[in-house]
Amino acid sequence: MSSASPYATSWETYWATAEAEGHASLWDTEPERASAQDWPHFAGLLPAGRPLLDLGCGNGTQTRHLARHHDHVIGADISAAAIRTARSLDPGRTYLVLDLLDPDAVTALHEKLGDVSIYMRTVLHQIHPDHRPAFAAGLRTLLGADGVLACTELAPAAEPYLHRLVERHGPPPGLTRVMATGVRPGSVGRDEVLDLLGAEDFAVLAEADTAIPLSHRLSTGERPQVPAYFVALRRTSARH
């Protein structure tokens, strides 16, 4: 699938609107509630000398935090508008437009960088189930033999949680903006991630239950905490 895929169109619309109107994304939370909580789970697992790719980096909030702890962090997103914002906020770092469903682009990036580790926060859940095998194939290409995938995803309990949230408080404005682009948030179980990558080829190195705090506050002042999980994976044939 090329850069003209519906994901590219949807997310470009979303981030271009955010750029023009100056609104924050629904999940653009401070690193202390996001990547800073994930980092201790996989910091000691990353192979030395390999880049860390923040896949689905958006405006680079989590990328910038990860760069404080890892020597070579690269941000990548399917939206050129998101990447423009990330570059403007962090001009000294490499940010790339990348559609993981474009195998030629994925292969070219792997040829340029070699095996990379990947930090992927709430990306796979919004990929349609029919497209997930191809998305996972892109992940496998980038990871190669040595890369570690550190993945935080919405748990299956996220969907009923969000339904209850909308029923009680109405849809958060950020969610409405996402849905308007055609993106349909869902969930993906931990075992499904492993199966997509190849359960026989990948081993679980670390995992934990967690939650995704939304940037939106309820009338009570609370921030919704969407059920999620963290898992770190690596090929069982990795050379260590």
Side-chain angles (χ1 to χ4, degrees), residues 22-224:
H23 64 68
S25 73
L26 184 66
W27 55 90
D28 188 23
T29 190
E30 58 269 39
E32 290 72 23
R33 296 175 180 265
S35 55
Q37 294 185 5
D38 295 336
W39 175 251
H41 293 307
F42 69 97
L45 303 175
L46 299 178
R50 299 289 190 187
L52 176 61
L53 186 71
D54 182 11
L55 185 62
C57 69
N59 63 11
T61 297
Q62 308 309 323
T63 317
R64 294 188 291 277
H65 177 80
L66 293 169
R68 294 191 219 161
H69 303 282
H70 191 74
D71 289 340
H72 189 186
V73 179
I74 298 168
D77 199 279
I78 197 170
S79 165
I83 292 300
R84 279 197 304 273
T85 300
R87 287 171 177 164
S88 70
L89 295 170
D90 189 15
R93 187 160 315 284
T94 298
Y95 289 93
L96 308 169
V97 177
L98 178 67
D99 183 350
L100 217 70
L101 294 174
D102 183 344
D104 292 338
V106 170
T107 298
L109 184 60
H110 183 258
E111 290 175 350
K112 178 179 180 180
L113 298 177
D115 295 353
V116 301
S117 291
I118 296 172
Y119 178 67
M120 188 172 71
R121 185 173 177 83
T122 64
V123 174
L124 187 56
H125 74 94
Q126 50 89 25
I127 302 297
H128 189 279
D130 289 348
H131 301 153
R132 288 176 185 173
F135 190 93
L139 291 175
R140 289 196 299 271
T141 296
L142 292 173
L143 293 167
D146 288 339
V148 169
L149 172 64
C151 173
T152 297
E153 261 307 337
L154 297 188
E159 290 186 80
Y161 176 91
L162 289 170
H163 283 305
R164 291 193 300 271
L165 182 71
V166 170
E167 287 174 358
R168 295 173 184 172
H169 303 280
L175 181 60
T176 301
R177 285 190 288 266
V178 171
M179 300 289 281
T181 69
V183 173
R184 293 293 178 265
S187 64
V188 55
R190 171 260 200 202
D191 290 343
E192 185 180 351
V193 174
L194 195 55
D195 287 342
L196 282 167
L197 286 168
E200 69 285 358
D201 294 328
F202 280 79
V204 175
L205 304 179
E207 55 186 324
D209 292 328
T210 185
I212 302 297
L214 303 185
S215 58
H216 169 75
R217 289 189 181 274
L218 304 177
S219 58
T220 60
E222 298 174 292
R223 291 172 61 171

